[in-house]
Amino acid sequence: MIAFVSGTVAALAPELAVVEVGGVGMAVLCTPGTLAALRVGEPARLATSLVVREDSLTLYGFADDDERTVFELLQTASGVGPRLAQAMLAVHSPDALRAAVAGGDEKALTAVPGIGKKGAQKLLIELKDRLGAPTGTARVGAPVSASWRDQLHAALVGLGYAAREADDAVAAVAPEAEAAATPDVGLLLRSALRTLNRR
């Protein structure tokens, strides 16, 4: 198993990062929150989980070991594959997922694309004793409310969007950011990408 990759970020795309490790470019599928913290040309260390299929080897990357652990635990529930587990982590931090399962919060799970009411009920039952209690740590948003704009703009430019497109996308998600006490740059990046994709 590949537990982590560490090296220079060679490229970024909407769903993956390419990290150069010993002269080899490793394509790592990541959540928008993880991608938002990466910059092309800068060093990065991603905790990883290798998913082996008959016809593919897919490497999933995470901001930390806790996120990877939750990703792997989510897949122990029936009907949850790596893509759905990653979608759950794109919408909720590991601790938010623990809190949702511990509190029986069906609505939080149905906020994830691909999970309906029945699926959420089933997941709450199956995951109840697997994820554990919330640890009190939440996904870190922008440390200062005003800086979310700079972080989001840099992430979009890092993904290859023109500065003007990034400006427009930042402006489009500004109401969502201002409604939050502490803007979560990862969630804002997802919204900004949806805005850009609609164009």
Side-chain angles (χ1 to χ4, degrees):
M1 178 179 157
I2 301 172
F4 70 90
V5 295
S6 182
T8 303
V9 178
L12 291 169
E15 289 190 344
L16 64 82
V18 177
V19 180
E20 185 178 339
V21 182
V24 177
M26 307 283 278
V28 188
L29 294 178
C30 303
T31 63
T34 300
L35 289 170
L38 304 177
R39 301 286 178 271
V40 173
E42 293 187 8
R45 183 186 187 279
L46 297 171
T48 56
S49 180
L50 180 64
V51 176
V52 180
R53 296 282 185 263
E54 279 186 23
D55 58 347
S56 67
L57 296 172
T58 308
L59 200 57
Y60 289 84
F62 309 94
D64 54 41
D65 292 340
D66 184 40
E67 200 171 76
R68 177 186 59 204
T69 299
V70 170
F71 171 79
E72 291 172 349
L73 286 171
L74 290 171
Q75 292 176 76
T76 63
S78 57
V80 179
R83 279 292 191 178
L84 184 55
Q86 190 179 47
M88 293 170 79
L89 285 164
V91 174
H92 299 294
S93 68
D95 221 40
L97 281 172
R98 289 189 188 98
V101 171
D105 189 351
E106 190 180 297
K107 192 174 179 183
L109 294 185
T110 57
V112 178
I115 299 179
K117 186 178 173 68
K118 285 186 178 178
Q121 292 169 345
K122 189 175 166 192
L123 285 171
L124 287 173
I125 293 166
E126 288 195 39
L127 294 171
K128 190 169 186 180
D129 299 320
R130 299 182 194 177
L131 290 186
T135 61
T137 59
R139 177 185 283 155
V140 179
V144 179
S145 186
S147 71
W148 69 264
R149 291 175 184 273
D150 295 334
Q151 291 184 39
L152 182 58
H153 191 276
L156 289 167
V157 171
L159 289 172
Y161 289 99
R164 188 184 193 106
E165 289 176 307
D167 289 338
D168 292 344
V170 168
V173 300
E176 179 184 339
E178 285 156 12
T182 306
D184 183 321
V185 178
L187 294 179
L188 292 173
L189 178 60
R190 288 183 71 235
S191 297
L193 290 171
R194 280 197 296 269
T195 301
L196 289 163
N197 288 338
R198 279 198 293 270
R199 295 177 186 177

